[in-house]
Amino acid sequence: MKKLLLLPLLVLCLLSCKTEEQGDEISVETLVKSTRSWNDSTLIRYPEGQPEVTVLKIDIPPHTRLDMHKHPMINAGVLLKGELTVVAQNGQKLKLKSGEALIEMVNTYHYGINESDEPAQIIVFYSGVEGTPITEYQKAH
């Protein structure tokens, strides 16, 4: 309980502190915050069980399409470099550029594609339950 009380104090200190070498102030920017995914679907409730957080760095070569897949848990990402298009099974598209963030769809098939001549790199944060796969691939018909 004491640790939880100290967290807001630490955040306040970090926001008001200056770095010694440069004198620059620490900056905090919210990249994305929502109760809905990028395709405007309401996020699911967290399931019961032991929480498990996974953070992946994914490199996608130029002109590469990922397989059709879905995620059974809430996840969000930040595109660190390059460009990436996310395409839902129904054709909805989201085009991301370096520095942009997204809250991914849950339980909806989709794929990512890097249509550019440069590699794309994305960090994705998954918030699920221990023992649950973070990605499920669509089976061929």
Side-chain angles (χ1 to χ4, degrees):
M1 182 67 168
K2 289 180 183 177
K3 290 179 183 176
L4 290 176
L5 294 175
L6 292 176
L7 185 59
L9 293 174
L10 177 61
V11 170
L12 284 174
C13 177
L14 289 174
L15 291 174
S16 62
C17 293
K18 293 186 178 186
T19 59
E20 291 180 25
E21 292 178 11
Q22 298 177 339
D24 294 332
E25 292 186 23
I26 294 173
S27 168
V28 176
E29 176 184 354
T30 301
L31 297 178
V32 64
K33 180 179 179 178
S34 180
T35 59
R36 305 179 82 71
S37 62
W38 69 263
N39 69 336
D40 205 33
S41 295
T42 302
L43 293 174
I44 64 171
R45 291 188 178 275
Y46 286 107
E48 292 292 322
Q50 173 60 48
E52 182 177 66
V53 174
T54 304
V55 180
L56 301 180
K57 179 175 74 166
I58 304 167
D59 292 302
I60 305 167
H63 306 288
T64 300
R65 179 180 180 237
L66 303 174
D67 291 334
M68 185 72 76
H69 63 279
K70 67 179 180 176
H71 307 286
M73 63 190 61
I74 294 173
N75 67 96
V78 178
L79 190 65
L80 298 179
K81 60 183 177 181
E83 297 178 5
L84 187 65
T85 302
V86 182
V87 183
Q89 192 169 29
N90 67 4
Q92 264 185 302
K93 291 184 181 181
L94 173 69
K95 292 186 179 274
L96 292 170
K97 293 183 180 177
S98 181
E100 294 182 328
L102 82 154
I103 298 173
E104 185 63 279
M105 298 176 286
V106 179
N107 288 324
T108 300
Y109 282 106
H110 63 281
Y111 63 88
I113 185 166
N114 178 358
E115 299 172 302
S116 77
D117 295 328
E118 301 295 325
Q121 185 177 72
I122 189 167
I123 297 281
V124 184
F125 305 83
Y126 298 87
S127 181
V129 172
E130 187 176 43
T132 302
I134 59 175
T135 303
E136 298 173 4
Y137 293 94
Q138 188 174 48
K139 294 176 174 62
H141 297 273

